[in-house]
Amino acid sequence: MEIPESVFTAPFLILMIILFVMIIKRKTKEVNYPPGSCGWPFLGETLDFLKANKEGKPENFVKERIEKYKSKIFKTCIMGENMVVLGGPSGNKFLFSNENKQVTIWWPVTVRKLLGPCLVTTVGEEAKIMRKMLSSFISPDAFSRLYIKAMELVAHSHFMNYWQGKEKVKVFPLVKLYTFKVACQLFMSIEDDKEIERLSAQFNIFLKGLIAIPLYLPGTAFYKAVRATAAIRKELLQVVRKRREALEHKTASPSQDILSHLLSCPDENGKFMSELLIVNNILLLLFAGHDTSSVTLTLLIKRLAEHPQVYQDILQGQFGDP
């Protein structure tokens, strides 16, 4: 039996056409890409990025590539995600003036998996509703009216317990603990030092996994962060349920803190936020204000130590002559 030649040639031609179209599309897509390299498969340039962070100079990762490609815009691949980096004032202006217009907020897969559904990982109308529910408690006016005194009391207690009478202290870890205590007090009215220290230890493990290679294997930073986040959620869920009972028995106030507010007030559609969503958003708030505040305060203390006369002037301005 003789098989027609067209039986063999037709599939071959179709395959060649498909390959040709794929190549043309790929070339077309790459026309508008800025210079750069996506590095190794999956890993990309993650190792270079993490190395720069470990050395305490994350900006070098960007500077080196801007100099190498002679461009303030370059492509790369970090944490398994292809991306474009924009450097310089004009790049920042473009990003921050076009949110939800030409650009939308994006988070690495590690952040999305660890934080879960919350204000920053949710988009569209649901995100707008959550933002409205949180805005009254995280506005500058709320801080000046409600939080300054509480922050002062936490600071006084923290210095008495961890700083006063010590010949030497490690500033950054203690400042991190202080900012975490402030957040726990303001967001959830948690005052027990042991509970805060336990949460803080787990929270620091969680932070290390936010910017890490997303490999869920024993021993990796991401694996440890997933487990730590689960432990934090479990403890925070208990806090939420105790507060719900206290609100039902009128032993807590709906305006006491963010936790009470979220449990007591429905959104504009009359829907209450679920317990897990409340926990995720509190975890987000802890994350958002933790490292930035800790680093700023630590650098401030460092600069004051380098300029003792400035320190004395500030001390006199706050407390007057001894």
Side-chain angles (χ1 to χ4, degrees), residues 73-282:
I73 304 175
F74 62 89
K75 67 180 179 182
T76 184
C77 177
I78 301 175
M79 310 299 176
E81 302 272 2
N82 292 329
M83 62 185 69
V84 172
V85 177
L86 279 69
S90 56
N92 280 276
K93 182 179 179 181
F94 172 79
L95 286 176
F96 289 109
S97 62
N98 283 284
E99 184 179 344
N100 295 324
K101 298 175 185 176
Q102 297 187 60
V103 296
T104 56
I105 293 176
W106 168 88
W107 292 93
V109 63
T110 48
V111 175
R112 298 196 301 270
K113 287 187 176 180
L114 290 174
L115 287 178
C118 63
L119 180 60
V120 298
T121 58
T122 305
V123 295
E125 194 61 32
E126 190 176 353
K128 291 179 182 179
I129 291 172
M130 276 193 273
R131 189 175 289 112
K132 287 180 182 178
M133 292 182 72
L134 291 167
S135 61
S136 61
F137 269 84
I138 57 178
S139 65
D141 179 59
F143 271 88
S144 62
R145 288 186 298 103
L146 305 173
Y147 302 151
I148 296 298
K149 187 62 179 177
M151 293 168 68
E152 184 181 345
L153 291 172
V154 173
H156 183 267
S157 171
H158 182 75
F159 277 106
M160 290 288 290
N161 292 333
Y162 297 96
W163 297 68
Q164 189 169 330
K166 304 291 192 298
E167 291 185 7
K168 184 185 292 186
V169 295
K170 290 185 177 181
V171 174
F172 188 53
L174 287 179
V175 169
K176 287 177 72 175
L177 181 59
Y178 163 69
T179 56
F180 192 76
K181 280 188 172 187
V182 169
C184 286
Q185 171 70 35
L186 299 184
F187 300 156
M188 300 171 285
S189 299
I190 297 177
E191 298 179 357
D192 183 76
D193 284 342
K194 290 184 179 180
E195 184 177 4
I196 292 172
E197 288 178 10
R198 186 171 61 251
L199 280 170
S200 179
Q202 296 286 3
F203 188 75
N204 285 324
I205 298 172
F206 154 79
L207 289 175
K208 290 177 182 177
L210 282 172
I211 306 298
I213 299 172
L215 289 176
Y216 188 70
L217 295 173
T220 63
F222 183 63
Y223 178 86
K224 294 175 183 177
V226 170
R227 294 173 67 86
T229 308
I232 293 170
R233 279 199 178 92
K234 183 178 180 181
E235 189 148 351
L236 292 185
L237 276 170
Q238 292 178 352
V239 173
V240 169
R241 286 163 186 167
K242 286 180 181 177
R243 179 63 60 82
R244 187 187 293 280
E245 291 180 5
L247 287 167
E248 289 173 354
H249 292 90
K250 310 295 184 183
T251 56
S253 166
S255 59
Q256 179 173 327
D257 50 32
I258 288 178
L259 176 55
S260 282
H261 173 71
L262 294 178
L263 282 169
S264 304
C265 301
D267 62 27
E268 56 194 30
N269 298 318
K271 182 180 177 182
F272 285 91
M273 196 177 286
S274 69
E275 290 182 350
L276 182 58
L277 197 54
I278 290 173
V279 167
N280 286 349
N281 277 298
I282 288 176

